[in-house]
Amino acid sequence: MPSAESTTLVEFPARREGAPFPPPEYARLREQPGLVRSQLPGGNTVWLVTRHEEVRAVLTDPRISSNPGHEGFPRIGRTGGVPDVPGWFVALDPPEHGRFRKTLIPEFTVRKIRELRPAIQEIVDGRIDAMLAGGNSADLVAEFALPVPSLVISALLGVPYADHEFFESKTRTLVSFFSTDEEKEKAGKEILRYLGRLITIKKKRPGEDLITQLLASEAISPAEMSGVSMLLLIAGHETTANNIALGVVTLLLNPDWIGDDRVVEEMLRLHSVADLVALRVATEDVEIGGQLIRKGEGIVPLIAAANHDGCPFSNPAEFDPNRSARHHVAFGYGVHQCLGQNLVRAELEIAYRTLFERIPTLALDAPVAELPFKYDGVLFGLHGLPVRW
């Protein structure tokens, strides 16, 4: 069994060299025996996990924690992640994590999301109407990919969409590699203050929305409500917007698949926008992939590397919606698997189908190599997407 002392440090994070593929280094890391040791820009040393089977093992082992309060927890980028917030339940382990998830799961079932589909369709059509009214070109990120999930999650939570520029800009600060701890703390506190005021209003004037329902259930404490709402608000728009934009590029490059609903699952696998979010730390000594990981050592399971592993996914760099891709880990795996995955799938399917039905002549207005990909944050995507029709 290899030891930490016998391994060579590799540089990380590695840069993607174009959508939708992960960094070329990931393939080389998968070929190495055991796990790979790396030192992050934040200063701590971690284990990188790149193979599909081993990523799933990390995400399901009870001796491995998602709680950043443990010593040795990874720090991606120059500084840390989202500041410590009550109710930020993705940073909790069972059984405390399960309390939040049990409360929220009924609101994101397949049946619940099916009931939301007409509202999602109306939002998508409204954004396309606005694009068409504006001429024959647009920035698809600013005018479609970002507004659609922002409108959906705002309506679901009861957050006024008029404030979308505020929470979208604060989210960009929180997910950027280059934001300082002070900037992230300030952005987090501003969102929490905003949501705290909104929750106070809803206590006095309840609405027909998820925040109102959670307040009525009393399953989540008042101190936790802002953190839960913040998590749902951020997760509910940023990752979906990235998936929509990257998916449109992929369909324009593979037009034979336009109109086929099977593209959604393959898009999620191919793009793996949340490559760097499943950070972990060992709370006991544990063996993964033949490698002993000591208590207190950080672990970074690389979602994009796992989803491009040639063992479960033959020809992984190929866009092939015919493949059975449901076992991808784009939504994570285990107890922390994305709560809103049914909502994301519905939004992507409706967005892709409706956009190309209504604008069949949609085309890129810049070479793919010149598109402004998000190389500066923990979530991959596009800062902008110039299109014409």
Side-chain angles (χ1 to χ4, degrees), residues 88-111:
W88 192 265
F89 60 92
V90 292
L92 299 175
D93 298 321
E96 185 66 0
H97 170 265
R99 175 172 67 86
F100 291 92
R101 196 171 179 92
K102 182 179 179 180
T103 301
L104 292 165
I105 275 180
E107 303 305 322
F108 293 93
T109 62
V110 172
R111 182 182 63 81

Side-chain angles (χ1 to χ4, degrees), residues 13-60:
R15 179 184 170 98
R16 296 200 192 205
E17 294 184 0
F21 307 115
E25 287 85 350
Y26 285 9
R28 294 192 285 273
L29 297 181
R30 277 195 303 269
E31 294 171 358
Q32 298 187 28
L35 307 184
V36 179
R37 200 75 164 145
S38 176
Q39 186 171 38
L40 303 184
N44 56 341
T45 305
V46 299
W47 293 104
L48 304 180
V49 187
T50 57
R51 287 180 283 271
H52 185 267
E53 180 181 356
E54 289 155 13
V55 164
R56 298 214 301 184
V58 167
L59 297 179
T60 53

Side-chain angles (χ1 to χ4, degrees), residues 93 113 130 156 173 205 218 233 252 263-264 334 342 358 376:
D93 298 321
I113 301 308
L156 182 64
T173 298
R205 297 194 295 275
E218 298 184 348
L233 183 63
L252 288 172
V263 303
V264 170
N342 294 322
R358 295 197 55 192
D376 55 353

Side-chain angles (χ1 to χ4, degrees), residues 170-363:
K170 302 307 173 186
T171 298
R172 284 193 293 272
T173 298
L174 290 171
V175 301
S176 172
F177 283 148
F178 304 112
S179 299
T180 65
D181 284 336
E182 292 75 18
E183 290 168 338
K184 288 184 178 183
E185 183 177 4
K186 183 173 183 288
K189 286 181 177 179
E190 288 176 348
I191 295 178
L192 288 170
R193 279 197 296 270
Y194 167 82
L195 289 170
R197 291 193 295 268
L198 180 65
I199 289 166
T200 299
I201 292 171
K202 289 187 179 297
K203 286 178 181 177
K204 298 176 181 178
R205 297 194 295 275
E208 296 182 1
D209 53 69
L210 183 54
I211 290 178
T212 298
Q213 291 177 36
L214 293 176
L215 286 169
S217 74
E218 298 184 348
I220 296 173
S221 73
E224 297 164 337
M225 271 299 304
S226 293
V228 170
S229 302
M230 176 180 171
L231 175 58
L232 296 176
L233 183 63
I234 292 174
H237 79 271
E238 181 68 19
T239 55
T240 306
N242 291 329
N243 273 305
I244 290 174
L246 291 172
V248 169
V249 174
T250 301
L251 286 172
L252 288 172
L253 296 175
N254 299 271
D256 290 345
W257 290 105
I258 290 174
D260 191 322
D261 290 347
R262 291 176 297 172
V263 303
V264 170
E265 220 60 45
E266 177 69 343
M267 293 287 193
L268 291 164
R269 180 199 70 83
L270 192 70
H271 300 141
S272 299
V273 301
D275 183 26
L276 305 177
V277 301
L279 308 179
R280 298 291 190 267
V281 65
T283 56
E284 302 177 28
D285 289 358
V286 59
E287 182 181 337
I288 298 291
Q291 174 66 59
L292 175 64
I293 301 175
R294 298 288 188 184
K295 177 182 178 180
E297 292 183 337
I299 309 168
V300 180
L302 295 170
I303 300 302
N307 283 339
H308 283 253
D309 186 340
C311 185
F313 306 109
S314 60
N315 301 314
E318 180 182 344
F319 176 62
D320 181 13
N322 279 320
R323 81 169 81 238
S324 177
R326 294 285 295 200
H327 54 300
H328 64 71
V329 290
F331 290 119
Y333 193 64
V335 296
H336 282 282
Q337 193 168 36
C338 177
L339 186 71
Q341 60 184 288
N342 294 322
L343 176 60
V344 174
R345 288 185 174 105
E347 289 178 279
L348 295 182
E349 183 267 310
I350 293 170
Y352 296 150
R353 172 179 47 77
T354 309
L355 183 65
F356 286 100
E357 281 180 354
R358 295 197 55 192
I359 314 180
T361 58
L362 190 73

